[in-house]
Amino acid sequence: MSRRVVRQSKFRHVFGQAAKADQTYEDIRVSKVTWDSSFCAVNPKFLAIIVEAGGGGAFMVLALTKTGRVDKNHPLVTGHTAPVLDIDWCPHNDNVIASASDDTTVMVWQIPDYTPVRNITEPIITLEGHSKRVGIIAWHPTARNILLSAGGDNVIIIWNVGTGEALLNLDDLHPDVIHSVCWNSNGSLLATTCKDKTLRVIDPRKSQVVAERARPHEGARPLRAVFTADGKLLSTGFSRMSERQLALWDPNNFEEPVALQEMDTSNGVLLPFYDPDSSIVYLCGKGDSSIRYFEITDEAPFVHYLNTFSSKEPQRGMGFMPKRGLDVSKCEIARFYKLHERKCEPIIMTVPRKSDLFQDDLYPDTPGPEPALEADEWVSGQDAEPVLISLRDGYVPPKHRELRVTKRNILDVRPPSGPRRSQSASDAPLSQHTVETLLEEIKALRERVQAQEQRITALENMLVELVDGTD
C-alpha cells in the first residue's frame, strides 16, 4: 500500500481568527453602493472606509488604535458630489489617500495624525480628466507621486499627483468597461480585465498591449487579475456553469492556464489579495462569509489550497494591511479588515510557532515607505524594484509628512516644523491652505474650551446651590 506524501510547507497550518469584540470598530454606516471595490483601505496608521453620506460621497478615516464604538459625529472626508467608489492609501506616505467617485473626479487628501474636529472638505488636489464615473484607483508601487485611475469611459489615466498633470492617457486599449487594474511589482506593466472578457498585459509607457487572453474564464460575470511576484498572473472568474474559479497564467504562453482551481457556485465576484512575501493569495467574495487562501509555488500543481476562514456574517468589503503593519511578534502573516453592515472587524492570519523569536523565514525584507524612483524618472523609462526594509525590530510609521503639489516634479516630504523651530531661508513657507486649516482648528478648539468652561461654571453654581440647600 503506497503512503500519500504530504506536501511540505511552512504555511500549511495558517489559521484565521477574528479579533475580540473590543478590537472591532462599531457603528459605521458602510456604503450601500453596488460596486465591486473593497470599500476599505488600511495602512499601519489608519483605517479608511467608504460610508453612506447624504448629498454626495464620503469616507471615514479612523486611527487604527481608535477601536470600539465610533462617535456618530466623527468627522468624514467629504468633497465629492456623488458616491465614492474606491479609495487607496499612498504606499510612500501614510498620511495621503486618494479617492475615486461617481462624479468623474479623483481627489487626493492629506490626513492629519490627530483627529480633526470637523469634516475634511478640501483635497490637496482634484484630478479631472475622465468623462464618466471613476471606479478604480491604484498608486504606483515604486515611483513617487504616480497614481492610476480607470473610469466608466474605458480610459486609464496615469497622473503625477505632485504636479496635478495627466502623464499618460490610455484611451484606445479597452472597448468596454474596465473591471480591474493591477500594477506588477516594479510598476513597469499593468494587468487589466474588461467587460469584453479579455485579460490584458499592458506596457503603459508605450500605450500598447503586450499580451492578452480572451475569455480566461468562460462565465459571464466580471473577472479580476493580479500579478504574482515572478510576473505570472492570478485571475478569478466564473466557469460556464457559474462555478467560481482561480487560474494561474504565464503571460509568455497564454494558451492554457498553468493551473486552474474550481471552487463553488456563487454570484459574488472574488477579490484576490496577493502577498508576494509568502506567495499566498486570499480570495474574498462580496457577500461571502469566508476567506479562502492558496499557496502559489513553482511545483505542480502550482496552486495549493491551504484552508478557509469562515464566519457567520457576510462581508460587504475588505481591507488588506501592508506587511509592515503586521505584528511580527505573533507570527501574523496577514490581516484583513472585514466590513459588515454596521461595523469593521479585523481578521488575523497566523502561522502557529512556539518560539517568540523573530521568524526570518516568515518575514523576508518587504517594501518600505520610501519610493525607488521619482515620477519623471519612471516616465522617462526607468524601472526599479521596491526599496525593502527589515521587520526584525517591528515597523514604526514615520510622523506626519505633508504632500505638496507644486509646478515642479517633486513631493516635499520634510517633517513638519516643531513649535520652536526657526525657519531657515531654505525652508518653503507653509501653504495658504495649511495656514487656513490650522487657524480653523485653533478657532474650533478655542470654542470647545470656552463651552467646557461655561459648563464647569454652571456645574459649580449647581453644586453651591445644593450645598446651601442642605445647610
Side-chain angles (χ1 to χ4, degrees):
M1 225 168 100
S2 64
R3 288 174 61 196
R4 186 167 168 237
V5 178
V6 175
R7 186 178 70 89
Q8 287 296 308
S9 168
K10 58 192 169 215
F11 300 115
R12 214 155 53 87
H13 301 294
V14 170
F15 67 96
Q17 201 168 22
K20 293 185 171 71
D22 63 346
Q23 293 300 304
T24 61
Y25 306 83
E26 304 268 357
D27 257 11
I28 299 168
R29 296 190 308 143
V30 178
S31 172
K32 292 187 170 69
V33 175
T34 53
W35 187 253
D36 284 328
S37 85
S38 54
F39 284 10
C40 180
V42 287
N43 69 18
K45 278 187 175 183
F46 298 109
L47 164 66
I49 298 168
I50 302 175
V51 293
E52 283 287 284
F59 61 97
M60 176 185 285
V61 176
L62 299 166
L64 274 192
T65 51
K66 295 280 185 192
T67 53
R69 192 174 297 281
V70 177
D71 183 349
K72 67 176 186 299
N73 295 319
H74 190 282
L76 303 176
V77 182
T78 60
H80 288 289
T81 56
V84 176
L85 301 177
D86 198 12
I87 47 178
D88 195 27
W89 287 105
C90 175
H92 307 129
N93 188 334
D94 286 340
N95 293 81
V96 171
I97 188 169
S99 59
S101 167
D102 217 332
D103 66 8
T104 76
T105 68
V106 173
M107 293 182 178
V108 180
W109 308 84
Q110 183 92 36
I111 305 297
D113 281 337
Y114 58 87
T115 303
V117 293
R118 57 189 64 187
N119 289 350
I120 299 174
T121 57
E122 288 293 321
I124 310 167
I125 193 162
T126 300
L127 306 172
E128 297 173 308
H130 288 281
S131 58
K132 291 187 179 175
R133 63 161 59 175
V134 188
I136 299 165
I137 43 175
W139 291 92
H140 192 285
T142 62
R144 192 198 309 274
N145 265 10
I146 300 278
L147 177 68
L148 170 155
S149 63
D153 49 8
N154 317 341
V155 174
I156 292 174
I157 302 178
I158 295 173
W159 308 87
N160 181 348
V161 172
T163 60
E165 62 186 323
L167 299 173
L168 300 165
N169 200 312
L170 312 180
D171 57 0
D172 56 357
L173 302 181
H174 298 89
D176 214 326
V177 176
I178 300 160
H179 285 149
S180 73
V181 182
C182 171
W183 295 97
N184 67 348
S185 62
N186 68 0
S188 60
L189 296 172
L190 298 172
T192 69
T193 61
C194 176
K195 197 175 178 182
D196 71 348
K197 306 285 179 287
T198 302
L199 170 58
R200 293 174 175 84
V201 178
I202 293 168
D203 183 332
R205 288 167 295 194
K206 292 180 180 170
S207 292
Q208 69 183 44
V209 177
V210 294
E212 64 180 358
R213 175 67 162 83
R215 302 192 81 85
H217 300 274
E218 292 288 330
R221 307 259 312 135
L223 312 170
R224 284 282 186 283
V226 291
F227 276 103
T228 64
D230 61 359
K232 292 191 176 68
L233 282 163
L234 283 164
S235 65
T236 62
F238 295 78
S239 71
R240 195 169 282 160
M241 306 299 290
S242 292
E243 273 194 314
R244 295 197 289 191
Q245 297 176 323
L246 170 68
L248 180 66
W249 301 90
D250 181 351
N252 300 316
N253 179 13
F254 250 150
E255 287 304 305
E256 290 294 323
V258 177
L260 183 69
Q261 282 265 356
E262 297 210 326
M263 279 161 281
D264 58 0
T265 307
S266 176
N267 282 333
V269 173
L270 286 169
L271 305 179
F273 295 94
Y274 173 74
D275 173 17
D277 294 347
S278 62
S279 275
I280 295 177
V281 63
Y282 302 86
L283 303 182
C284 308
K286 277 215 158 177
D288 286 11
S289 52
S290 62
I291 301 171
R292 288 181 182 78
Y293 41 108
F294 299 80
E295 186 179 359
I296 314 301
T297 67
D298 296 331
E299 304 157 8
F302 306 107
V303 176
H304 307 271
Y305 171 75
L306 290 174
N307 211 334
T308 301
F309 167 81
S310 296
S311 54
K312 289 176 183 169
E313 294 187 56
Q315 53 233 17
R316 298 283 295 278
M318 196 69 82
F320 187 49
M321 175 66 81
K323 212 47 168 275
R324 56 197 170 91
L326 303 180
D327 186 345
V328 297
S329 67
K330 294 181 178 165
C331 296
E332 179 184 7
I333 61 161
R335 191 189 312 153
F336 292 91
Y337 285 77
K338 172 181 170 178
L339 299 186
H340 300 244
E341 204 165 318
R342 299 283 301 195
K343 73 172 181 178
C344 177
E345 174 186 49
I347 293 165
I348 294 151
M349 298 289 178
T350 308
V351 176
R353 292 272 168 101
K354 287 178 181 173
S355 170
D356 291 337
L357 299 173
F358 179 74
Q359 308 290 312
D360 293 88
D361 62 327
L362 296 184
Y363 301 105
D365 288 356
T366 196
E370 289 307 314
L373 292 171
E374 296 299 326
D376 51 358
E377 292 175 324
W378 180 79
V379 173
S380 69
Q382 293 185 46
D383 290 318
E385 293 301 318
V387 178
L388 303 180
I389 57 169
S390 169
L391 296 178
R392 178 173 289 277
D393 301 316
Y395 171 78
V396 179
K399 291 287 183 200
H400 178 93
R401 305 191 299 180
E402 186 172 346
L403 178 130
R404 296 284 180 82
V405 176
T406 65
K407 295 238 169 102
R408 288 170 301 136
N409 232 357
I410 57 165
L411 172 59
D412 186 344
V413 293
R414 68 181 176 82
S417 56
R420 291 181 176 275
R421 182 170 171 268
S422 61
Q423 193 178 40
S424 65
S426 63
D427 279 347
L430 282 170
S431 68
Q432 189 63 31
H433 167 67
T434 310
V435 172
E436 286 169 6
T437 307
L438 288 172
L439 286 171
E440 273 193 21
E441 294 287 348
I442 291 165
K443 184 182 170 190
L445 284 167
R446 280 203 175 120
E447 286 171 1
R448 283 169 68 179
V449 168
Q450 203 173 347
Q452 297 285 5
E453 284 173 346
Q454 287 172 353
R455 176 81 178 134
I456 289 166
T457 305
L459 289 169
E460 283 174 342
N461 290 340
M462 283 172 64
L463 189 62
V464 169
E465 285 174 18
L466 282 167
V467 170
D468 288 350
T470 52
D471 288 348

